Amino acid sequence: MDYPEHYELVFHAPASDADTIVVHRTERAGAGGYPIYEDDSGIVRAEISPEGDVRMVASGGHQDPGLPTVVRPDDEP
């Protein structure tokens, strides 16, 4: 299956309208068998299915990442 290289994850941010993070596909797969995407820092990680279902993946201890409100493929790197 051909997966997008990048996604935009849009999170609700209390101080502003939204916070958008671009994640790129890695070589790893998550528990559901779908690719793991991460941001450039490696802190934000998500397993994203072809249907756009998201499972956030903790990148460190004590992390409890919230779900994005919008997930969209991003054609720009």
Side-chain angles (χ1 to χ4, degrees):
M1 173 157 262
D2 192 27
Y3 296 99
E5 286 293 319
H6 302 89
Y7 275 95
E8 288 183 339
L9 306 180
V10 182
F11 296 88
H12 175 70
S16 66
D17 291 334
D19 189 16
T20 302
I21 298 174
V22 175
V23 292
H24 60 275
R25 192 176 71 221
T26 68
E27 296 296 319
R28 296 183 302 275
Y34 303 116
I36 297 288
Y37 290 79
E38 66 182 33
D39 70 340
D40 288 338
S41 72
I43 294 173
V44 176
R45 293 183 184 160
E47 178 181 9
I48 305 175
S49 76
E51 295 80 23
D53 296 323
V54 177
R55 183 177 67 86
M56 298 304 292
V57 179
S59 60
H62 306 293
Q63 192 180 37
D64 185 20
L67 287 174
T69 55
V70 177
V71 178
R72 59 183 169 239
D74 181 28
D75 295 334
E76 298 296 320

